[in-house]
Amino acid sequence: MRAVLVVLVLLLTGCGSGPAVEARDPAVLRLASFDFPESRMLAELYGQQLRRAGFRVEVLSGLGTREVVAPALEQGLVDLVLDYTGTLLDYAGGSPADAHGTPAAVRATLAGRLSARGLSVLAYAPAEDANGFAVRTAFAREHGLRRLSDLRGLAGGLTFGGPPECPQRRYCLSGLRETYGLGFAAFEPQPSRPATATALETGEIDVGLLETTYGRLVDGRVTLLADDLGLQPRENVVPVVRTEVVRRYGARLTDALDRLSARLETADLVALNRLAAVDPRSPADLAAGYLAGL
């Protein structure tokens, strides 16, 4: 982890071999996203919302996994991240019971855990996006699959695909083993959600991790299986901001972010992700179109 952070510092300060980023301007808010499409979209949405409120904003798109982005936020390398309440609470050491409460209770527990790290958890959005587990629609029909529990008699002969960190994640393969008793024959790491969907469709994998709001789910080629035993936690979108930044800008900052969060619904994420899957426009352009309609 320390080596990862050293590389991150070099990249953010323009001292590494990768694309240089200008030295940090304290008057510019740095907003980072994780390395998957929806997170990039959310970073653009909230970044443009802040620009509308008069802030100068730099979006660092696709910075990495939570193991990279969260420490960068705590160390002040970035100022704001759009995260998901339950998974972030798990990362922060919360219990599964804490992550499965009401959205307000999960957010309050998360805020309590992160305050000691110099981070503030703002108002959560109604929009939720949890881990979803999908199979080919034809495969689901052939075997009568509707729920994750329906995989119990089949998993030992199936290949699972998902992000490289999936085997160690409580709400991915680790949770599927503990909650559902699912032990797959093989695991194939996937570089992205689009790659996972393609691998499902071509038969390279049999079961794949896709977000419940993933845009290509609506085309009917893959089917999400219901989480019938409630493995997944609450996953409301929530801005997490360095407390020092909140103190510096006060209600001017928090009101701008809270206004957008109050309007963002799960259906909006599905629609934006669907557009991103079929439209060549950038996440920034799609975000601008959404904000123009508010």
Side-chain angles (χ1 to χ4, degrees):
M1 176 60 69
R2 184 168 182 174
V4 171
L5 291 178
V6 168
V7 171
L8 179 61
V9 170
L10 292 175
L11 289 176
L12 292 180
T13 56
C15 298
S17 59
V21 178
E22 291 184 4
R24 184 76 196 264
D25 182 345
V28 177
L29 295 178
R30 262 193 176 150
L31 197 160
S33 81
F34 302 116
D35 54 353
F36 60 92
E38 182 176 283
S39 182
R40 293 184 178 94
M41 182 76 68
L42 288 169
E44 290 293 345
L45 277 174
Y46 281 81
Q48 290 184 33
Q49 175 76 354
L50 287 173
R51 291 189 186 107
R52 287 180 167 205
F55 290 95
R56 294 168 60 198
V57 177
E58 179 184 9
V59 175
L60 301 174
S61 186
L63 196 59
T65 64
R66 185 170 287 102
E67 285 80 2
V68 172
V69 175
L73 182 63
E74 290 184 37
Q75 294 181 21
L77 299 174
V78 298
D79 299 307
L80 166 63
V81 174
L82 281 307
D83 215 318
Y84 303 87
T85 52
T87 303
L88 180 56
L89 181 55
D90 177 64
Y91 176 85
S95 70
D98 289 337
H100 284 78
T102 65
V106 175
R107 183 258 165 206
T109 303
L110 180 62
R113 283 194 167 269
L114 294 187
S115 63
R117 304 185 186 192
L119 303 178
S120 293
V121 180
L122 303 191
Y124 63 86
E128 280 195 82
D129 181 8
N131 286 345
F133 302 96
V135 296
R136 289 183 301 283
T137 297
F139 185 79
R141 289 172 180 161
E142 179 184 354
H143 295 279
L145 304 178
R146 295 181 295 108
R147 309 167 303 168
L148 281 169
S149 292
D150 296 333
L151 288 173
R152 281 180 182 148
L154 299 170
L158 303 179
T159 297
F160 184 95
E165 64 271 16
C166 187
Q168 290 76 43
R169 290 287 176 89
R170 177 181 292 173
Y171 300 119
C172 197
L173 275 180
S174 174
L176 290 176
R177 285 192 300 269
E178 294 174 8
T179 301
Y180 286 94
L182 300 180
F184 292 94
F187 171 67
E188 289 291 338
Q190 301 295 314
S192 67
R193 299 301 190 267
T196 303
T198 298
L200 270 175
E201 293 167 11
T202 61
E204 178 186 340
I205 61 174
D206 303 300
V207 184
L209 171 66
L210 298 173
E211 290 92 2
T212 54
T213 60
Y214 186 64
R216 285 167 60 181
L217 289 172
V218 298
D219 63 20
R221 287 179 284 185
V222 298
T223 296
L224 274 183
L225 299 178
D227 179 18
D228 53 305
L229 297 184
L231 168 63
Q232 299 304 317
R234 293 287 185 179
E235 293 286 28
N236 296 85
V237 173
V238 67
V240 182
V241 190
R242 290 198 302 119
T243 300
E244 187 276 327
V245 173
V246 173
R247 289 172 179 158
R248 188 192 314 162
Y249 295 108
R252 179 179 163 227
L253 175 76
T254 57
D255 287 354
L257 295 170
D258 289 351
R259 281 196 302 273
L260 177 54
S261 292
R263 298 289 297 272
L264 190 65
E265 301 281 348
T266 301
D268 297 326
L269 290 184
V270 173
L272 285 167
N273 287 332
R274 176 59 179 163
L275 282 173
V278 301
D279 194 314
R281 289 186 296 165
S282 68
D285 288 342
L286 293 173
Y290 174 82
L291 291 173
L294 294 183

